[in-house]
Every structure is written in structure tokens, then in C-alpha cells.
């Protein structure tokens, strides 16, 4: 437990470094591209267009929630998913990509996943702004439930760090882990309710309850219920899912920080 708190203190103490390196990292990634940082926003928009044409038009999914058109419902969920998917993969390789930085200077290695988490927020805010625009064009207006957005955003950031510190350490120990993680996320995409609503599907209720235990579903569904005014955190089954979510986060945070602290001194040799 003390190790976990020390890692959290590192993030707070080095917040300015994290912010500066996140900006530099984004610029370095796209410096040789003609459109530069614009690709941070174009890639998610292209993916959203493809999914809407396939599931919203070709397959005619209809309205997954009563009174809510498919496009704003889909974008409200896919925006946090695209962020979490990219951040999880980027954070998982953050340590072994920066082995030169780790070996040449005294650097808090535990902040490397946080750099990816902050760097990817630019495209996330763009996608959320697009989702809000679609809601307004479909006459979906802000309500008091929008305040829950702050809570679910905090949940998303904490989840990303818990997974990031765990995956970045395991990726150093097991080099195949990053590729395995890509496959896991592809499966979770269809198990997180991104493109269809579990509640209105024809799945058996027990199967739906199992799918809802997915922490990524908790975040996606939470953003939707907040912005589309469809539920509150303390209502059932949200309360049970909230307890399950935080237990999952605590488990990965404890195990991830333990592994990170145990092998941190050997990262350069292992890589």
C-alpha cells in the first residue's frame, strides 16, 4: 500500500514535467507529417464515420435508447473508448520506448504512463466536443446529470494509470504482452457496449450482467448516462458496478505498483 501511495505522490510532484513531455511527445510523433497534429483528430473522426456507416446506416441499428438517435449515442460512447484504447496501448510500451531516458538520467519512471495519458487527452476533448455538437443538433440539452461527467472522467484517468503502470511493467518482463494486449482490446471493443446497447439487446440477462462487470463498459456507459441524462451513480445497478469498478482499479493499482517497484532497478538490463 505504501508503494502505491509513493507512486501517486510521484505523479503529483512531477505534474509539470508530465505536461511538458506530453506536449513534446505529440509534436515529435507527427513532426514529419504534412498535417501534423491534425491526425490526432482526423483518425478518430474517420473511425467514427466508418462505424456509423456500417452499424448506423448499413445495419440500421435504430435508436439504442428511447428518444436518442444512434449517432450521438454511439459517439458519446466511442469517444472515451478510442481514448482508452489508444492510451492503454501507448502506456503499455511507455517504459521500454524510453529506456534511453531512464538509463542516462535520474528520472521517475513511474510517470512515463502518465505522459501518454495526458498526451492523448487532446484528441479526447475534440471527440467529446463533437459528441456534444451532435447532441445539440438532435435537441439533447444539458441537464443536472452532466455534473457526473467529472466523476466518470476521474474514473477513466485513474483506470488508465492503474492499467498503464501494470502493463508497462509486464511489457518489459514479457515482450509479447503488448501484442497480446492489442488482441484483448479488440475483443473488449465488442464486449463494452460501444456499438450496441446491452439493455435493449436480446442477450440473456445473466450474460448481460457479466458483460457489465467490464470496467471499460462502466466508463462508456457512465459517460452516456451522464450526458444523455439516463441515470445516476447511486441507482441500481450502477451502485454495484461502481463498487466492482473500484475494486478492479485498486487490485491493478496495488499489483502494478508492486511489480513496478520490484523491477524498476532492473528495467535497463531487462530491456
Amino acid at each position: 500500500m505504501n508503494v502505491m501511495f509513493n507512486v501517486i505522490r510521484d505523479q503529483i510532484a512531477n505534474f509539470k514535467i508530465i505536461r511538458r513531455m506530453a506536449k513534446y511527445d505529440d509534436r515529435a510523433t507527427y513532426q514529419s507529417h504534412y498535417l501534423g497534429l491534425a491526425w490526432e483528430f482526423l483518425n478518430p473522426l474517420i473511425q467514427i464515420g466508418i462505424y456509423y456507416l456500417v452499424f448506423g446506416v448499413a445495419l440500421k441499428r435504430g435508436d439504442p435508447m428511447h428518444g436518442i438517435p444512434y449517432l450521438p449515442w454511439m459517439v458519446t460512447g466511442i469517444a472515451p473508448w478510442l481514448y482508452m484504447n489508444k492510451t492503454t496501448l501507448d502506456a503499455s510500451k511507455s517504459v521500454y520506448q524510453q529506456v534511453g531516458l531512464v538509463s542516462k538520467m535520474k528520472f521517475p519512471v513511474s510517470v512515463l504512463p502518465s505522459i501518454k495519458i495526458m498526451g492523448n487527452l487532446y484528441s479526447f476533448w475534440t471527440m467529446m466536443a463533437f459528441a456534444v455538437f451532435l447532441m445539440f443538433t438532435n435537441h439533447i440539452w444539458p441537464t443536472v446529470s452532466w455534473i457526473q461527467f467529472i466523476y466518470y472522467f476521474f474514473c477513466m484517468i485513474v483506470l488508465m494509470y492503474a492499467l498503464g503502470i501494470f502493463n508497462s511493467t509486464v511489457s518489459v518482463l514479457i515482450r509479447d504482452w503488448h501484442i497480446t494486449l492489442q488482441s484483448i482490446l479488440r475483443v473488449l471493443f465488442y464486449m463494452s457496449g460501444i456499438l450496441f446497447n446491452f439493455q435493449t439487446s436480446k442477450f440473456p440477462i445473466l450474460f448481460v450482467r457479466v458483460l457489465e462487470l467490464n470496467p471499460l463498459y462502466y466508463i462508456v456507459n457512465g459517460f452516456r448516462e451522464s450526458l444523455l441524462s439516463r441515470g445516476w451513480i447511486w441507482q441500481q445497478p450502477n451502485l454495484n458496478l461502481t463498487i466492482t469498478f473500484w475494486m478492479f482499479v485498486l487490485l491493478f493499482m496495488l499489483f502494478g505498483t508492486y511489480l513496478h517497484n520490484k523491477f524498476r532497478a532492473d528495467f535497463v538490463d531487462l530491456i
Side-chain angles (χ1 to χ4, degrees):
M1 188 68 75
N2 289 334
V3 174
M4 183 181 73
F5 288 130
N6 288 335
V7 168
I8 293 173
R9 280 194 290 268
D10 282 345
Q11 313 311 303
I12 298 172
N14 294 280
F15 179 76
K16 291 183 179 179
I17 295 176
I18 293 170
R19 185 173 57 184
R20 285 199 302 269
M21 292 194 67
K23 291 181 179 179
Y24 171 79
D25 193 41
D26 280 342
R27 293 173 183 173
T29 301
Y30 296 100
Q31 65 179 353
S32 61
H33 297 71
Y34 289 115
L35 296 180
L37 287 174
W39 283 113
E40 282 281 331
F41 316 121
L42 289 176
N43 278 328
L45 287 174
I46 292 171
Q47 291 183 62
I48 288 172
I50 293 171
Y51 288 130
Y52 176 67
L53 289 175
V54 174
F55 292 91
V57 178
L59 298 181
K60 297 181 180 179
R61 293 294 304 173
D63 297 346
M65 283 185 176
H66 180 68
I68 305 295
Y70 183 77
L71 184 57
W73 179 87
M74 184 193 73
V75 175
T76 305
I78 206 172
W81 165 262
L82 290 175
Y83 169 78
M84 290 189 290
N85 180 72
K86 188 174 189 304
T87 301
T88 301
L89 293 175
D90 288 350
S92 71
K93 56 184 180 181
S94 59
V95 172
Y96 69 72
Q97 277 189 337
Q98 299 291 343
V99 62
L101 182 66
V102 173
S103 62
K104 293 179 181 177
M105 59 184 293
K106 186 177 180 180
F107 189 82
V109 187
S110 64
V111 308
L112 292 175
S114 294
I115 294 171
K116 299 299 182 179
I117 292 171
M118 179 166 287
N120 289 333
L121 281 175
Y122 299 108
S123 60
F124 169 75
W125 291 121
T126 302
M127 291 300 99
M128 291 309 303
F130 181 55
V132 171
F133 169 76
L134 289 175
M135 285 188 283
F136 287 169
T137 57
N138 286 275
H139 308 290
I140 302 171
W141 309 112
T143 66
V144 68
S145 70
W146 279 37
I147 196 171
Q148 294 179 125
F149 177 91
I150 300 172
Y151 165 75
Y152 285 109
F153 177 77
F154 174 75
C155 289
M156 182 175 69
I157 297 301
V158 175
L159 175 64
M160 288 298 95
Y161 187 78
L163 294 177
I165 195 70
F166 172 80
N167 289 324
S168 62
T169 303
V170 175
S171 294
V172 173
L173 302 176
I174 307 172
R175 295 304 299 272
D176 292 339
W177 178 245
H178 180 73
I179 299 175
T180 304
L181 191 60
Q182 289 177 322
S183 300
I184 293 173
L185 287 171
R186 290 191 189 101
V187 174
L188 288 176
F189 176 76
Y190 296 99
M191 297 177 63
S192 302
I194 310 299
L195 302 175
F196 56 89
N197 190 348
F198 291 155
Q199 303 299 328
T200 58
S201 65
K202 298 181 180 179
F203 294 143
I205 188 64
L206 181 60
F207 183 59
V208 171
R209 291 292 176 260
V210 172
L211 291 177
E212 288 177 344
L213 297 177
N214 175 4
L216 300 180
Y217 168 81
Y218 179 77
I219 301 295
V220 169
N221 188 61
F223 276 114
R224 281 174 173 156
E225 291 197 338
S226 301
L227 299 180
L228 301 177
S229 308
R230 295 291 163 163
W232 293 92
I233 301 168
W234 55 82
Q235 292 177 336
Q236 293 291 357
N238 289 346
L239 183 59
N240 291 335
L241 295 180
T242 297
I243 296 172
T244 304
F245 172 82
W246 285 110
M247 288 178 62
F248 177 92
V249 169
L250 181 61
L251 176 64
F252 267 80
M253 185 71 82
L254 287 171
F255 192 45
T257 52
Y258 167 76
L259 287 177
H260 178 85
N261 184 67
K262 181 177 181 179
F263 294 102
R264 178 172 52 190
D266 302 319
F267 278 161
V268 175
D269 296 331
L270 289 170
I271 295 173

